[in-house]
Amino acid sequence: MLTKKFDAHGVLLQLKARLVVHDFSQVQGIDFNDTFAPTLKVVPLRLIFAISVGLNLELHHLDIETAFLYGDLDEDIYMEQPPYFIDPKHPYDVCKLKKSLYGLKQSPRMWHLKLHTYLESIGFTRLQAEPNLYIRKEGNVFVILGVYVDDLPIASNSIITMKKTIAQLKEKFPVKDLGPREYCLGIKITRNRTEGTLILSQRKLVEDILKKYDMADCKPIQTPMTVPCKLSSNDNPQTKIEEQLMKTLPYRQILGSIRYLVSCTRPDLSFCAGFLSRFMQNPGIAHWQALKRILRYLQHTKDMVLTYHSFQVPNSSHLHGYLHAPLHGWSDSDLRVDIDTSRSTSGMVFMFAEGAIAWRSKRQTSVALSSTEAEYVAAALTAKEGLWIKTIIQELDVLNLSKMKIYCDNQSCIKLAENPKITDQNKHIRARHHFIRELVAAKEFSIQFTSTTSMWADFLTKPVPSQKHWICCNTIGLSLLKSRQKYIAYLEGRLLEY
């Protein structure tokens, strides 16, 4: 298999050739058994970035070359001789694999087990909440290591300890230290240690999407969706001609690309991507026009960045010199926004190091009979995500975390979460949503009221006007790069007005 590798600016780094086996010929129970291998989720990856800038840690990027070739196989597997390397004396002989190869169904699992075993042997401990995050401590010095297949983000409060760890990894695997992290999974990383900021952006990916679908010269627009949005299944193709036309349009491909942006750095696209995905099976012309509007919005926001800030106390060092880092969440819902099912949409966002660390927009699984019920279901979703993030931070144990807060703009929802009161209006709510009551009673977090004007998850539940959309974006650390630079200049007195 021949591939090309590019950097964050689209510059060709190298041409790669790789021997890949035909996994479609493998038979389960004979050639392979278990194939599961965990992969680092995007939220813990952003958490590594946020903690690194928050505590002013060293942050490097390690790449393990040909990682899958180091996995040990449990089965006897034979392979035909590869093309151009056939032994002329024994052309019909086959090769017995001693190690895993790319293409084998069990290769990811074998590589993960190999790396995990070695990391434990050199003193790393795997987190229970995230099996692809490891930590090693020696007194006040620590090293955090993430594993995304063969990409390893590594952070430490000691450059000496980091180099020692890298040297230990090089003893076992061909590790390439790419230095301070600048590019990861299509995300460009820009760090300014003087200002104490770390910026994530995906400009190149956005430009590639616009170019691929002939929208590179489209007219930009301020918001991703119209207000209000009345799209429904009634806008599905009504004639055979319209149905055939829609089959020729790359609706699913564009939406898939946008959803990857959402998962990495773009919470502002979360609702619109989720909403249009509901019509992916049979989209109509109106849905296609709405999707093209998102591309026009991407044209306007190519320079959108997600920024994290330092929360370290000046002139301090190690664990006890840090402020109590806040982890706050906002939970919201919009009652019966879905015309087809009358279901509500939950939205939530968590802030850490002054930037969004996790976000979600999701249609609820049942019809809510009141705004209180809709908000309560959304709050339970937010609580689950917040508890997971809090557990990861507590397991890392490298900073002091202040008490988690979740903000809600519905007083009845807050009362329902704090008090086990049963009424005719809430007695039908499913038991799974009452999970939030246990967390509030155990003081895992506090749920507090905020006004609708200060509800920063609002744009994750429905389309909002331009002003509210950009207020929500800027508050959760999402901004256009040029606007952010202009705002910094204004604060520093280099600009008279902003």
Side-chain angles (χ1 to χ4, degrees):
M1 186 176 71
L2 305 176
T3 59
K4 298 178 181 179
K5 188 172 183 178
F6 300 90
D7 66 4
H9 306 286
V11 178
L12 180 65
L13 291 178
Q14 65 181 112
L15 300 174
K16 302 176 70 175
R18 179 170 290 159
L19 175 62
V20 180
V21 300
H22 294 163
D23 64 334
F24 55 80
S25 63
Q26 287 187 267
V27 178
Q28 187 171 7
I30 299 175
D31 300 313
F32 70 95
N33 291 297
D34 293 330
T35 60
F36 172 76
T39 303
L40 184 67
K41 295 183 180 296
V42 183
V43 173
L45 181 63
R46 286 194 295 264
L47 192 60
I48 293 175
F49 297 154
I51 291 176
S52 297
V53 67
L55 301 182
N56 194 26
L57 305 180
E58 302 292 335
L59 177 64
H60 280 219
H61 177 199
L62 306 181
D63 179 55
I64 299 181
E65 298 178 335
T66 60
F68 283 5
L69 305 186
Y70 295 89
D72 298 318
L73 292 173
D74 295 329
E75 301 86 7
D76 292 331
I77 297 180
Y78 298 88
M79 179 188 73
E80 293 179 353
Q81 296 181 55
Y84 310 111
F85 293 91
I86 298 175
D87 185 351
K89 295 182 180 180
H90 307 282
Y92 299 106
D93 285 5
V94 294
C95 305
K96 182 178 179 180
L97 300 185
K98 295 182 178 179
K99 296 283 186 177
S100 61
L101 278 179
Y102 284 87
L104 287 178
K105 294 182 182 296
Q106 65 267 50
S107 288
R109 178 178 179 82
M110 295 300 102
W111 159 242
H112 174 77
L113 293 176
K114 183 84 169 184
L115 180 61
H116 168 69
T117 302
Y118 184 68
L119 289 176
E120 284 194 330
S121 71
I122 60 175
F124 278 93
T125 302
R126 180 163 68 179
L127 271 60
Q128 293 296 319
E130 175 48 65
N132 281 281
L133 269 185
Y134 294 81
I135 183 141
R136 184 174 70 182
K137 293 183 179 179
E138 298 174 1
N140 286 325
V141 178
F142 60 86
V143 179
I144 300 172
L145 186 69
V147 178
Y148 191 93
V149 191
D150 58 353
D151 287 320
L152 311 180
I154 182 170
S156 177
N157 58 350
S158 168
I159 187 64
I160 297 174
T161 304
M162 176 181 282
K163 289 181 177 179
K164 176 185 174 182
T165 303
I166 295 173
Q168 288 178 311
L169 289 170
K170 285 183 176 180
E171 292 176 3
K172 189 72 172 179
F173 308 108
V175 176
K176 185 187 297 183
D177 183 5
L178 303 179
R181 190 133 202 175
E182 296 180 354
Y183 192 64
C184 175
L185 305 180
I187 306 170
K188 183 182 178 183
I189 304 165
T190 307
R191 186 174 183 183
N192 189 323
R193 302 191 77 159
T194 304
E195 295 181 2
T197 60
L198 187 144
I199 296 174
L200 306 180
S201 66
Q202 289 182 288
R203 178 187 172 93
K204 170 147 189 328
L205 183 55
V206 171
E207 289 178 338
D208 289 344
I209 293 171
L210 294 175
K211 183 178 179 180
K212 181 178 180 180
Y213 299 108
D214 298 324
M215 295 288 284
D217 299 320
C218 66
K219 185 178 178 180
I221 199 165
Q222 288 276 336
T223 56
M225 295 189 78
T226 57
V227 182
C229 181
K230 298 295 184 181
L231 293 175
S232 69
S233 59
N234 293 329
D235 299 301
N236 289 353
Q238 302 298 318
T239 65
K240 288 289 184 181
I241 296 176
E242 187 179 346
E243 188 175 334
Q244 290 301 319
L245 173 62
M246 288 306 303
K247 287 181 179 179
T248 65
L249 298 176
Y251 186 90
R252 296 177 182 84
Q253 294 90 324
I254 295 176
L255 206 48
S257 300
I258 293 173
R259 291 189 71 89
Y260 183 71
L261 289 172
V262 171
S263 67
C264 294
T265 63
R266 299 296 297 269
D268 55 319
L269 299 171
S270 188
F271 172 77
C272 57
F275 184 80
L276 292 181
S277 294
R278 299 171 191 175
F279 313 104
M280 192 179 293
Q281 197 66 28
N282 189 26
I285 297 296
H287 304 132
W288 172 250
Q289 294 297 334
L291 185 59
K292 289 180 69 175
R293 181 186 173 95
I294 298 178
L295 295 179
R296 292 175 60 197
Y297 174 73
L298 285 177
Q299 177 80 312
H300 177 67
T301 57
K302 286 189 288 189
D303 288 318
M304 189 75 93
V305 296
L306 180 60
T307 307
Y308 299 109
H309 297 264
S310 171
F311 43 67
Q312 187 178 8
V313 177
N315 303 319
S316 65
S317 62
H318 300 304
L319 181 63
H320 301 292
Y322 302 126
L323 287 169
H324 286 271
L327 175 64
H328 296 163
W330 281 262
S331 171
D332 195 24
S333 73
D334 190 65
L335 186 63
R336 299 172 193 152
V337 69
D338 191 291
I339 297 174
D340 294 320
T341 63
S342 296
R343 294 178 185 175
S344 305
T345 299
S346 300
M348 72 89 190
V349 60
F350 271 93
M351 296 273 290
F352 186 72
E354 300 181 39
I357 199 72
W359 53 83
R360 197 168 181 188
S361 176
K362 181 185 179 182
R363 183 173 62 179
Q364 295 179 2
T365 56
S366 59
V367 177
L369 303 184
S370 65
S371 59
T372 299
E373 182 182 351
E375 295 280 0
Y376 190 69
V377 173
L381 175 71
T382 308
K384 289 191 293 183
E385 190 76 13
L387 182 62
W388 178 51
I389 298 171
K390 178 183 175 182
T391 303
I392 293 175
I393 296 174
Q394 288 178 335
E395 281 195 67
L396 289 174
D397 193 26
V398 297
L399 55 86
N400 300 314
L401 189 66
S402 60
K403 186 174 182 180
M404 185 171 69
K405 297 178 182 178
I406 293 178
Y407 293 96
C408 177
D409 60 357
N410 187 290
Q411 293 277 20
S412 298
C413 169
I414 297 174
K415 296 298 183 183
L416 190 60
E418 292 177 340
N419 304 296
K421 184 178 180 180
I422 299 298
T423 67
D424 288 340
Q425 287 74 33
N426 64 41
K427 62 184 180 182
H428 64 282
I429 296 177
R430 295 180 180 179
R432 66 190 300 267
H433 302 307
H434 294 306
F435 164 74
I436 189 173
R437 286 180 175 172
E438 293 184 6
L439 299 181
V440 172
K443 297 184 178 180
E444 291 285 350
F445 61 84
S446 63
I447 183 166
Q448 300 184 6
F449 177 77
T450 186
S451 64
T452 302
T453 55
S454 299
M455 174 47 66
W456 312 129
D458 199 21
F459 74 146
L460 297 172
T461 64
K462 59 182 177 293
V464 294
S466 177
Q467 184 178 6
K468 180 61 182 288
H469 177 84
W470 286 101
I471 289 175
C472 290
C473 286
N474 293 334
T475 306
I476 65 172
L478 204 60
S479 61
L480 292 174
L481 186 58
K482 292 180 181 179
S483 299
R484 183 180 180 279
Q485 292 170 341
K486 187 177 179 182
Y487 180 60
I488 292 173
Y490 168 72
L491 293 178
E492 294 177 348
R494 294 186 281 111
L495 198 64
L496 295 178
E497 60 180 18
Y498 174 67

